[in-house]
């Protein structure tokens, strides 16, 4: 098939949605499909490049004033640009990864040309509030408006998916759209191996408010001898650096920033425990990756994380904000190598249900089905 993916974030950007789009595109191309991606330009200028065997059509972008590494496309430029990309590519199916500017433009163009359309939701309003500088007193109203916008864009699709049953429930409850769960999937084999450092906790992700790394720092401060490695960057980087110094643990925290894929795999392999304190995870690819590396996980009891962490089996959940409970769980795991091994084995068993091959199978089946039915309503995945 000729497949056009619409991604509002894509390589070289590092985040869960971007990495999923990269793996999906590369995986589909590896199965012999002709894959194209429409995505914002990382430099500003429009053009066409390559991502392995994938053609990437870059849409003109502009620097976002409140985030030094983030770029945005303007609707009045992206709409015509994405319509032209669709006209040139002439895909059998369009699959948008977001309802933002690029996804919105492609969804509109697909609907206008009767091209089969699949939409996958990775969005929660909480993930954008800090970037958009939305005051707290306006966030409830802003969230309702944002979900109405999701419905307006994804309501054009022949099929809608989200990464987990919890993500589907959130989307359906907020928009009324029918959707099905398709895991983002990972290549679990690449994370296996390596020797752990028994005193090391790892966090991977954006350093933004909803990730709650401040709670992890406060918990680590209560566990003598514990070290923390942080991979990622974001708007709270400076504040959390200062917090580590205030807590007296600056010498026990390593801030890696963005790293290569090889260095990320190495970080998973050497940690003893992975921690995800974030409260807005629709699946959490990084948690899946840590589990594939055979690590126990301590995670917030929030959103989709309970789909991955089975208390007492492959890790523990803690109530968001309960720093003492988080510290107790981390301390217990760091002190017990036998439990870490047992839970790490369970993590690998759970990850077996989230293979990239299964994800590719599911989307291939969905593409074929929507490409052979009238675009008159949603099709169950």
């Amino acid at each position: 098939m000729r497949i056009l993916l619409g991604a509002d974030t894509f390589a070289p950007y590092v985040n869960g949605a971007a990495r999923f789009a990269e793996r999906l595109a590369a995986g589909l191309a590896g199965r012999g499909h002709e894959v194209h991606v429409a995505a914002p330009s990382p430099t500003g200028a429009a053009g066409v490049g390559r991502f392995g065997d994938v053609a990437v059509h870059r849409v003109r972008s502009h620097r976002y004033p409140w985030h030094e590494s983030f770029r945005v496309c303007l609707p009045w430029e992206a709409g015509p640009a994405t319509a032209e990309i669709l006209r040139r590519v002439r895909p059998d199916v369009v699959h948008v990864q977001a309802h933002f500017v690029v996804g919105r433009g492609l969804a509109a163009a697909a609907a206008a040309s009767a091209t089969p359309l699949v939409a996958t939701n990775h969005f929660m309003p909480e993930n954008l509030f800090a970037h958009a500088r939305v005051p707290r007193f306006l966030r409830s109203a802003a969230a309702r408006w944002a979900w109405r916008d999701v419905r307006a864009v994804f309501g054009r699709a022949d099929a809608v998916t989200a990464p987990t049953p919890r993500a589907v429930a959130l989307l359906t409850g907020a928009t009324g759209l029918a959707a099905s769960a398709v895991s983002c999937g990972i290549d679990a084999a690449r994370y296996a191996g390596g020797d752990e450092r028994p005193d090391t906790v790892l966090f991977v992700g954006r350093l933004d408010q909803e990730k709650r790394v401040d709670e992890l720092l406060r918990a680590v401060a209560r566990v003598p001898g514990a070290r923390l490695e942080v991979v990622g960057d974001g708007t709270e980087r400076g504040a959390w650096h200062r917090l580590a110094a205030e807590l007296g643990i600056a010498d026990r925290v390593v801030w890696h920033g963005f790293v290569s894929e090889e260095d990320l795999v190495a970080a998973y392999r050497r940690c003893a425990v992975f921690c995800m304190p974030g409260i807005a995870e629709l699946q959490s690819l990084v948690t899946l990756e840590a589990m594939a590396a055979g690590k126990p996980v301590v995670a917030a009891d929030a959103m989709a994380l309970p789909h991955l962490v089975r208390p007492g089996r492959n890790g523990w959940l803690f109530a968001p904000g309960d720093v003492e409970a988080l510290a107790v769980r981390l301390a217990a795991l760091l002190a017990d190598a036998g439990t870490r091994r047992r839970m790490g084995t369970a993590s690998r068993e759970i990850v077996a249900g989230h293979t990239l091959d299964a994800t590719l199978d599911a989307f291939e089946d969905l593409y074929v089905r929507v490409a052979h039915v009238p675009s008159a309503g949603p099709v169950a995945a």
Side-chain angles (χ1 to χ4, degrees):
M1 301 184 75
R2 184 178 298 142
I3 302 162
L4 174 57
L5 303 179
D8 278 87
T9 179
F10 194 74
Y13 297 110
V14 181
N15 57 67
R19 296 184 72 200
F20 168 65
E22 293 162 20
R23 291 172 178 175
L24 178 62
L28 291 168
R31 291 188 171 197
H33 301 288
E34 180 184 334
V35 183
H36 298 255
V37 174
S41 168
T43 62
V48 182
R50 304 293 300 180
F51 180 79
D53 294 327
V54 177
V56 183
H57 304 257
R58 295 293 186 174
V59 179
R60 184 180 178 184
S61 69
H62 304 267
R63 190 177 68 85
Y64 187 64
W66 294 290
H67 199 294
E68 61 187 23
S69 62
F70 192 65
R71 300 191 70 86
V72 296
C73 299
L74 301 178
W76 51 90
E77 294 177 341
T82 51
E84 174 60 18
I85 292 168
L86 186 141
R87 188 193 67 77
R88 292 200 311 267
V89 172
R90 298 179 62 191
D92 297 306
V93 64
V94 171
H95 183 179
V96 297
Q97 305 298 315
H99 71 291
F100 304 125
V101 182
V102 171
R104 180 187 308 270
L106 271 183
S113 62
T115 303
L117 175 65
V118 175
T120 293
N121 185 56
H122 303 280
F123 169 77
M124 286 181 64
E126 290 79 3
N127 287 328
L128 290 183
F129 283 157
H131 295 296
R133 303 291 182 94
V134 179
R136 290 188 179 277
F137 73 93
L138 289 178
R139 289 185 177 183
S140 292
R144 290 192 297 271
W145 176 86
W147 283 122
R148 286 196 297 270
D149 194 41
V150 172
R151 178 179 175 81
V153 177
F154 284 4
R156 302 174 183 269
D158 299 288
V160 180
T161 75
T164 61
R166 181 66 184 90
V168 167
L170 176 70
L171 175 67
T172 300
T175 67
L177 293 171
S180 297
V182 180
S183 174
C184 291
I186 62 168
D187 180 6
R190 70 175 305 167
Y191 299 96
D195 296 321
E196 74 165 22
R197 294 177 181 172
D199 61 351
T200 300
V201 179
L202 174 67
F203 167 84
V204 179
R206 288 178 293 103
L207 303 187
D208 291 327
Q209 288 177 357
E210 74 276 10
K211 298 298 185 180
R212 302 286 189 96
V213 175
D214 54 325
E215 294 178 10
L216 177 54
L217 290 168
R218 296 181 190 280
V220 167
R222 301 185 186 200
V223 183
R227 298 177 67 257
L228 173 63
E229 293 193 30
V230 178
V231 173
D233 205 346
T235 57
E236 298 298 314
R237 176 186 58 193
W240 288 340
H241 273 248
R242 291 190 293 272
L243 176 60
E246 292 167 7
L247 293 169
I249 60 170
D251 61 337
R252 292 198 275 141
V253 182
V254 179
W255 306 87
H256 291 287
F258 291 127
V259 300
S260 68
E261 185 72 12
E262 292 74 19
D263 288 342
L264 177 60
V265 171
Y268 287 130
R269 289 175 175 174
R270 68 174 171 262
C271 76
V273 179
F274 183 80
C275 184
M276 175 46 70
I279 58 169
E281 303 297 318
L282 289 183
Q283 180 163 54
S284 185
L285 271 176
V286 294
T287 301
L288 277 175
E289 291 167 353
M291 291 166 60
K295 304 302 176 179
V297 177
V298 180
D301 189 2
M303 285 308 300
L305 291 171
H307 287 301
L308 301 179
V309 181
R310 318 289 166 80
R313 183 182 173 198
N314 74 314
W316 299 104
L317 297 170
F318 70 95
D322 192 343
V323 172
E324 180 60 28
L326 174 55
V328 167
R329 295 304 190 189
L330 292 176
L333 282 170
L334 291 176
D336 189 342
T339 297
R340 293 200 304 273
R341 285 193 294 271
R342 174 177 62 80
M343 287 187 167
T345 298
S347 281
R348 290 194 188 99
E349 292 169 353
I350 293 168
V351 162
H354 295 272
T355 66
L356 182 58
D357 277 341
T359 296
L360 295 173
D361 288 344
F363 280 120
E364 280 182 322
D365 181 63
L366 192 56
Y367 297 158
V368 168
R369 292 166 63 189
V370 301
H372 290 85
V373 298
S375 299
V379 176

